[in-house]
Amino acid sequence: MAKINSNYTNLQENYLFVEIAKRTAAYQKAHPEARVIKLGIGDVTRPIAAVAADAMIAANEELKHAETFRGYGPELGYKFAKAAVQRYYANYGVDVDFDELTIGDGIGSDLANITDLFSSDNTVLIPDPVYPLYKATSIMDGRRICYLECSIENNFLPTPPDYPSDLIYLCSPNNPTGATFDYAQLKAWVDYANACGAVILYDSAYERFIADDDKPHSIFEIEGARTCAIEFCSLSKTAGFTCVRSGYTFVPKELVREGVSLNRMWQQRQTTKYNGAPYATQRGLEAALSAEGLRQADENIAYYKRNVQPITAFLEQKGIFYCGGHNSPYIWMRCPQAMTSWEFFDFLLNTVQVVGTPGVGFGACGEHYFRLSTFNTYEATQEAMERLANVL
């Protein structure tokens, strides 16, 4: 009889988002006349940068003609796509070799698949609260998890522990809190990882939202990172590629463990288990990272950042603690009146027909907190705060 990976039995179902959908649907069924405003959405709402969409249309047009048709592409990414990523990193003073980049279909799959390179005996450090994928992937692999508690006291930014570890998940700007490392804080993690031989798996999905000059956009802006870090980035929240799926992973050649190059291991893994991102998608990535593509993407980001103002103005007026928003599309607020995360969710839904995301769904330290997203329209965001002002 075939034996299963019993680690999967330790996984919870995607409880957070399933439960949000269930409660919202039940309310709408009971109140079909209600207009529910959703500020829990983690998906973009603005259209893809036109220059990127046009590039993908043109690429697909090529495939209709024998003289421009293409067959299988390189599993690790076309050179033109890697060149675009290389130029983008140069904006932040980071040098990257073509062989250090792989082009994929977004951050999620690469963050999960990179764990193939490491023994299941490794201990993993995971911030709490944070994006649930890190925990789920570690449970699937049967790894021991140590949680890094994040709270008001440490500005929701974890610091290195006083014990060694093997793998470290870091996300900056953080989802859900919006907390963002500065250079010194990230340097402390790089020094820690190098000292104990750990590898940092660095999620920079929201780096384009960073507004502060003292916050790095890449971990490779930090001295020493090339010997201890792998970086994952996506165009989902910057160029609006959530329906297209495109991203890239940076594994430096200097990253070696037990005498083996992790860069080489990752290439072996991808060329064996992955067929490569579609040609048209990579043309879209190339265009999205061009000067015009970035300009158009930044227009969308500016739109989302405009939505921050009515939310933070309301929270400040009511004296409610919050963080995030400035360097990220998420605002992390303290639930008023000592409500739990789910109590506040139900209060918002049933009282003012506004949906957000209960903080406890991102980890135990998220209890009594709530995530609001800026990915809706400005008008809807403003109306949601006006509704709240009448009941809080």
Side-chain angles (χ1 to χ4, degrees), residues 164-243:
S165 64
D166 303 307
L167 298 175
I168 306 161
Y169 282 101
L170 295 179
C171 177
S172 179
N174 178 276
N175 176 14
T177 68
T180 308
F181 288 115
D182 63 26
Y183 285 89
Q185 291 165 332
L186 199 50
K187 182 66 164 68
W189 274 107
V190 167
D191 290 345
Y192 165 83
N194 279 321
C196 65
V199 175
I200 298 172
L201 306 177
Y202 193 74
D203 182 342
S204 62
Y206 301 96
E207 61 83 15
R208 193 74 188 171
F209 285 81
I210 295 175
D212 294 335
D213 292 337
D214 67 335
K215 306 293 195 299
H217 288 255
S218 167
I219 195 171
F220 295 110
E221 295 179 63
I222 308 300
E223 183 181 0
R226 295 184 68 95
T227 55
C228 69
I230 299 172
E231 183 162 271
F232 308 82
C233 200
S234 165
L235 275 70
S236 290
K237 302 302 176 14
T238 54
F241 274 39
T242 50
C243 65

Side-chain angles (χ1 to χ4, degrees), residues 55-369:
M56 287 186 281
I57 292 170
N60 280 304
E61 181 67 24
E62 290 180 31
L63 305 183
K64 291 167 56 178
H65 308 283
E67 61 272 19
T68 51
F69 174 77
R70 292 169 182 260
Y72 290 122
E75 296 96 336
L76 304 178
Y78 286 96
K79 287 185 177 180
F80 64 79
K82 291 186 177 186
V85 176
Q86 187 182 55
R87 290 191 296 270
Y88 185 72
Y89 269 110
N91 294 330
Y92 303 116
V94 176
D95 293 326
V96 54
D97 187 87
F98 274 22
D99 290 340
E100 295 177 315
L101 294 172
T102 57
I103 309 298
D105 54 10
I107 280 182
S109 55
D110 278 7
L111 270 170
N113 293 332
I114 200 78
T115 60
D116 284 359
L117 277 56
F118 303 99
S119 167
S120 60
D121 295 334
N122 285 323
T123 296
V124 185
L125 297 184
I126 299 178
D128 179 359
V130 81
Y131 185 41
L133 170 70
Y134 312 156
K135 175 182 176 181
T137 296
S138 299
I139 290 174
M140 289 176 181
D141 293 338
R143 292 191 171 91
R144 176 173 173 263
I145 301 173
C146 294
Y147 293 102
L148 302 165
E149 294 186 2
C150 301
S151 64
I152 292 178
E153 286 69 30
N154 61 9
N155 297 313
F156 291 96
L157 289 169
T159 54
D162 57 3
Y163 54 85
S165 64
D166 303 307
L167 298 175
I168 306 161
Y169 282 101
L170 295 179
C171 177
S172 179
N174 178 276
N175 176 14
T177 68
T180 308
F181 288 115
D182 63 26
Y183 285 89
Q185 291 165 332
L186 199 50
K187 182 66 164 68
W189 274 107
V190 167
D191 290 345
Y192 165 83
N194 279 321
C196 65
V199 175
I200 298 172
L201 306 177
Y202 193 74
D203 182 342
S204 62
Y206 301 96
E207 61 83 15
R208 193 74 188 171
F209 285 81
I210 295 175
D212 294 335
D213 292 337
D214 67 335
K215 306 293 195 299
H217 288 255
S218 167
I219 195 171
F220 295 110
E221 295 179 63
I222 308 300
E223 183 181 0
R226 295 184 68 95
T227 55
C228 69
I230 299 172
E231 183 162 271
F232 308 82
C233 200
S234 165
L235 275 70
S236 290
K237 302 302 176 14
T238 54
F241 274 39
T242 50
C243 65
V244 177
R245 309 303 302 145
S246 182
Y248 47 90
T249 295
F250 181 171
V251 185
K253 292 180 178 179
E254 295 92 328
L255 184 55
V256 176
R257 291 295 180 270
E258 297 186 291
V260 179
S261 166
L262 269 65
N263 175 282
R264 180 58 180 153
M265 287 182 69
W266 178 240
Q267 290 185 6
Q268 290 173 323
R269 192 269 171 210
Q270 291 298 84
T271 54
T272 302
K273 290 188 174 185
Y274 183 62
N275 290 325
Y279 169 68
T281 300
Q282 296 192 53
R283 282 298 186 192
L285 177 148
E286 177 190 33
L289 294 180
S290 69
E292 178 59 20
L294 292 172
R295 186 193 69 77
Q296 292 180 11
D298 286 345
E299 286 182 351
N300 286 346
I301 290 173
Y303 182 94
Y304 299 133
K305 286 196 170 187
R306 184 185 178 211
N307 293 344
V308 171
Q309 194 279 329
I311 298 175
T312 56
F314 167 77
L315 295 175
E316 289 171 4
Q317 179 186 8
K318 297 297 182 179
I320 298 172
F321 167 85
Y322 74 90
C323 63
H326 182 58
N327 293 306
S328 86
Y330 301 120
I331 294 165
W332 184 248
M333 60 171 287
R334 181 81 176 179
C335 296
Q337 302 169 12
M339 282 187 266
T340 67
S341 298
W342 280 109
E343 285 174 344
F344 189 54
F345 176 91
D346 290 334
F347 171 80
L348 288 182
L349 177 60
N350 291 284
T351 307
V352 294
Q353 296 76 55
V354 172
V355 173
T357 309
V360 71
F362 298 98
C365 292
E367 181 62 280
H368 297 291
Y369 288 92

